[in-house]
Amino acid sequence: MRDEVESTLSRNPGNALFDDLCDVLLGFWQKDAERRIIVVAGDTPTVDMLERRLSDMFPHLSDGGIATMRGRYNTDLVDVVSAVQSQATVLIMEEFVEAGLNLHNFAADMIFYNLPWQASRIDQLIGRLDRLRSGGLSAYIKDRTVGTIGIWRLVVAGSADERVLEALDLLDVFEHPLPYLDEALSQRIDGIITDAAAGRANFRQAASELKEELSFGLNQSGESVATVQPGTPDDITEVVGSIREAEHAGNTWLRLLHVSGALKGGFPKANDGERVATLSLPLLLEKSPYKLGAMTTQESEVFRWRRDRLGKSPKKDVVLPNDRLGKRARFFSTGDELHDDLVRQAYATLKAGTVSPIPVGVHLSDDNLAADLIGKTILLVRSAWRPSLLKDKQLRVRDDDVPAVRVGRLSDRRWISILFPDAVRTRCLVVSDEGSVEVCTDEIARALLGEGCKPTTNRQLQMTISPFRQVQKLVTALEREMIHEDRQCLGKLREEATAAFSDRKQILTSETETYVRWKQLSIEQLRLRNITDQQQIQMTEGQIAAEQRRMETRISGMTDRLRSLEDALLSLANHSKTESYVILVRVLPSPKLSI
């Protein structure tokens, strides 16, 4: 009988946590049989145990119904991606947090079977679940709900886990995202959790006091910030339209880089079904004027360009066909280091080059369009306005910046880029040999910039093409008109920037005031310590001095950031210089007609 009991217990040991877990899962599946759940376990043996026992308890999970993610050294990137994107009903994972992990693509509910004893780890796990979902951006702009998540915590009554959970609840770890935690604050939170686990009575008071510090000054400072009103349908349409225009421009540039031969591009589908863009160096390196990141002829950089795919698994790493390991994907837009480096190199290449007034002979694959353009010359004037060149000089990160100020300066540069974006505009005219001038249609412009436009390889034919008369007069008129349009645009940007800077100044000041009050409270608590040991007194004085230095550094950093921002805005608002260059194109008869 003893052998039978031991055998039975080895197969199905009694476990109050497991029984409660089964009850919770049954409650889910009675309402929705296809509801998916994430279970956070403590370690690899617990993951293995739950996988085995849940398969025994729920037969429908035994055949592909459970996915697992074990320790970060036992699970590679491919397994992480496949687990999140699997069709399993239950995902059992250890409490480690993998960079780029998007748990919201798997489920909207999380059960902590084993409670982590680190507040930051809980915060990151919930943050991986509480993310923007498909359609969430549009819903948020329209002031609608973007969905809810469910969090369950399983602890044994009277255990250390129950006291740790009480401390975490006193700190509101499960209710709100944690603010930025420096090393000292992290150590205090860890100390409170340690005291709670050990059963020391003082952890409740310490947790309540620390909670006040975490929110200290935020409500007072936030009262002076204007409430953001929900946008009207017209405002939303304008915002979405601007985003799509920028994405369309980025997509077009990626294709032009590939068609021109400057870089080798592609638009493959990743293993998750999303289409991405790739760029690598061409086989003939002398044809490429660019050098970007770790890009080689074999190794490519991966880009995304569609913001509306954010709710559909915005992973940092993308697994391409025939690859086992993922590659870091970037957004091909302003603010990405690689994108901005490519813009700088492209602009430098343009400045170093010369534009010939001799028209370039080209063939168009669209015969109907080419028939209307044969014998005519197309005049393209492109105007480039590059405020980022001036911005880069005035908002550089400094070597003596502390991390918080360094991050702040980078955010200031991105903020300025939104207010004063770089722009390249093209105006196009069709001029006949008789001198008649027509405005070029969008169809013609797309044909000239697309893959269907090929320059002639006949050098003798190219040498016979001459520019039409009065070309300089038309160019001058177009440039004057484009400069006038740029100045009107600059006036509008100046008004918007003035209002935006006032709001940003208020926000930065409020953030700094909150930080200073928090540090002052920390210094006051250090001074109230009742210690007599001389060594401890010296250590406390050193901590007070360090806190004062941090406070002074943050104040001076904020003051300098505001001064630099104000100077940059003033310079950019008065910076109306634009540069233009001219391309003359002569459409030639199809080579097939001359045979």
Side-chain angles (χ1 to χ4, degrees):
M1 183 179 295
R2 183 187 62 192
D3 292 341
E4 290 181 0
V5 169
E6 290 180 351
S7 177
T8 302
L9 289 177
S10 66
R11 294 193 308 269
N12 187 21
N15 188 317
L17 284 180
F18 182 77
D19 292 342
D20 285 345
L21 174 62
C22 292
D23 290 340
V24 173
L25 294 177
L26 280 173
F28 288 158
W29 293 330
Q30 284 176 351
K31 298 178 181 179
D32 182 1
E34 298 181 355
R35 188 171 181 175
R36 307 174 78 188
I37 313 295
I38 298 172
V39 179
V40 178
D43 49 28
T44 298
T46 305
V47 172
D48 294 337
M49 182 272 292
L50 288 178
E51 182 181 20
R52 183 183 68 255
R53 296 196 63 189
L54 287 177
S55 298
D56 294 339
M57 184 65 66
F58 301 100
H60 72 285
L61 299 179
S62 59
D63 186 14
I66 297 178
T68 60
M69 287 170 50
R70 292 166 174 82
R72 66 177 66 204
Y73 300 112
N74 299 325
T75 306
D76 61 22
L77 175 63
V78 174
D79 295 329
V80 169
V81 173
S82 61
V84 174
Q85 296 179 356
S86 69
Q87 299 301 314
T89 304
V90 178
L91 171 61
I92 307 174
M93 60 177 293
E94 290 190 31
E95 63 186 46
F96 78 93
V97 180
E98 180 69 36
L101 185 62
N102 294 300
L103 296 177
H104 72 283
N105 293 315
F106 185 89
D109 299 293
M110 177 179 290
I111 301 174
F112 284 93
Y113 182 82
N114 290 118
L115 189 68
W117 285 12
Q118 287 184 323
S120 59
R121 185 162 291 182
I122 295 173
D123 184 63
Q124 291 186 52
L125 280 166
I126 296 177
R128 304 294 178 185
L129 185 66
D130 186 18
R131 291 194 168 192
L132 198 64
R133 287 165 168 76
S134 179
L137 178 60
S138 176
Y140 177 77
I141 293 177
K142 297 177 182 177
D143 198 29
R144 297 175 182 172
T145 178
V146 294
T148 58
I149 63 171
I151 303 296
W152 281 259
R153 299 88 51 87
L154 303 183
V155 295
V156 175
S159 66
D161 277 337
E162 186 182 36
R163 294 190 296 272
V164 169
L165 178 59
E166 183 181 357
L168 293 171
D169 282 339
L170 288 172
L171 294 171
D172 280 346
V173 172
F174 289 94
E175 297 295 330
H176 308 287
L178 289 174
Y180 169 76
L181 303 178
D182 60 14
E183 184 176 354
L185 198 56
S186 298
Q187 290 177 354
R188 290 179 62 187
I189 293 178
D190 291 341
I192 291 173
I193 293 176
T194 301
D195 290 343
R200 301 185 181 100
N202 62 338
F203 80 87
R204 295 180 178 86
Q205 181 179 354
S208 299
E209 292 175 354
L210 184 55
K211 177 186 175 181
E212 293 180 1
E213 290 186 43
L214 292 177
S215 60
F216 185 78
L218 290 179
N219 294 333
Q220 293 89 329
S221 299
E223 291 174 356
S224 59
V225 180
T227 303
V228 178
Q229 299 296 330
T232 64
D234 291 340
D235 295 335
I236 297 170
T237 301
E238 183 179 355
V239 171
V240 174
S242 300
I243 294 173
R244 287 178 176 171
E245 286 179 4
E247 291 174 346
H248 178 72
N251 187 10
T252 302
W253 192 20
L254 286 168
R255 295 184 183 277
L256 285 175
L257 287 169
H258 171 65
V259 173
S260 67
L263 293 171
K264 181 182 178 182
F267 291 86
K269 277 190 177 181
N271 283 1
D272 60 0
E274 180 181 351
R275 191 170 295 280
V276 295
T278 61
L279 285 179
S280 59
L281 295 180
L283 295 178
L284 299 177
L285 297 180
E286 63 273 11
K287 289 187 177 182
S288 176
Y290 308 117
K291 175 62 178 176
L292 297 172
M295 185 186 298
T296 66
T297 57
Q298 300 295 327
E299 293 295 327
S300 60
E301 295 284 356
V302 183
F303 295 95
R304 303 179 188 274
W305 73 91
R306 293 285 300 275
R307 283 292 193 274
D308 60 357
R309 294 185 181 274
L310 274 176
K312 301 176 183 177
S313 180
K315 297 175 295 301
K316 292 182 179 179
D317 296 289
V318 173
V319 182
L320 297 176
N322 302 322
D323 287 347
R324 175 168 174 78
L325 296 178
K327 292 184 178 180
R328 182 57 45 91
R330 307 166 177 270
F331 270 109
F332 194 72
S333 58
T334 301
D336 176 75
E337 182 179 359
L338 206 62
H339 170 275
D340 292 351
D341 186 24
L342 181 58
V343 172
R344 286 190 288 269
Q345 292 187 43
Y347 185 74
T349 302
L350 171 64
K351 290 284 292 180
T354 58
V355 180
S356 171
I358 304 298
V360 177
V362 299
H363 300 289
L364 294 180
S365 60
D366 189 335
D367 294 336
N368 294 330
L369 192 62
D372 295 333
L373 297 175
I374 292 174
K376 299 177 182 179
T377 303
I378 296 138
L379 170 65
L380 293 97
V381 176
R382 306 207 75 183
S383 173
W385 190 50
R386 292 279 285 123
S388 63
L389 295 178
L390 185 61
K391 172 204 69 178
D392 292 342
K393 294 179 182 179
Q394 296 188 346
L395 297 177
R396 290 178 177 173
V397 176
R398 303 175 185 177
D399 295 336
D400 58 346
D401 285 338
V402 297
V405 177
R406 180 182 295 269
V407 171
R409 292 194 195 278
L410 292 175
S411 68
D412 291 342
R413 292 181 58 171
R414 290 191 292 270
W415 181 74
I416 286 284
S417 298
I418 296 174
L419 290 178
F420 292 91
D422 296 338
V424 177
R425 297 190 300 115
T426 302
R427 297 293 295 273
C428 185
L429 297 177
V430 179
V431 185
S432 67
D433 287 343
E434 293 78 16
S436 62
V437 180
E438 299 177 0
V439 177
C440 195
T441 64
D442 292 340
E443 182 184 11
I444 295 175
R446 286 194 296 267
L448 292 172
L449 298 176
E451 299 180 9
C453 180
K454 303 291 184 183
T456 180
T457 57
N458 190 327
R459 294 181 178 271
Q460 293 182 347
L461 179 61
Q462 176 64 40
M463 293 175 61
T464 63
I465 303 175
S466 59
F468 60 88
R469 291 175 296 175
Q470 298 183 340
V471 59
Q472 189 57 50
K473 182 179 179 180
L474 289 175
V475 169
T476 302
L478 268 179
E479 288 179 336
R480 189 182 300 115
E481 182 179 347
M482 296 174 78
I483 290 174
H484 177 69
E485 293 174 354
D486 287 340
R487 288 177 178 173
Q488 287 182 327
C489 179
L490 181 63
K492 181 180 179 181
L493 292 176
R494 185 187 298 115
E495 295 176 0
E496 295 175 351
T498 302
F501 177 69
S502 177
D503 293 340
R504 187 169 183 83
K505 182 178 181 179
Q506 191 176 28
I507 292 173
L508 291 179
T509 303
S510 298
E511 289 178 350
T512 305
E513 289 175 354
T514 300
Y515 182 84
V516 169
R517 291 173 185 173
W518 170 41
K519 288 301 179 184
Q520 288 174 341
L521 183 61
S522 178
I523 291 173
E524 182 180 351
Q525 290 177 340
L526 288 171
R527 286 173 175 166
L528 291 177
R529 287 183 176 178
N530 186 19
I531 53 178
T532 57
D533 183 74
Q534 189 63 31
Q535 185 176 3
Q536 290 292 331
I537 292 175
Q538 292 178 353
M539 290 179 61
T540 302
E541 291 176 350
Q543 291 175 344
I544 293 174
E547 294 285 49
Q548 289 174 337
R549 286 195 300 271
R550 294 189 184 101
M551 186 169 56
E552 293 168 358
T553 300
R554 181 64 68 89
I555 294 174
S556 62
M558 184 273 295
T559 304
D560 189 68
R561 282 176 59 193
L562 288 176
R563 186 187 303 113
S564 300
L565 272 176
E566 193 169 8
D567 293 342
L569 285 174
L570 181 62
S571 300
L572 288 169
N574 297 320
H575 178 68
S576 59
K577 181 181 178 181
T578 58
E579 299 183 8
S580 59
Y581 62 98
V582 182
I583 303 174
L584 300 180
V585 177
R586 187 82 166 187
V587 178
L588 303 174
S590 173
K592 296 180 290 186
L593 299 179
S594 60
I595 297 177

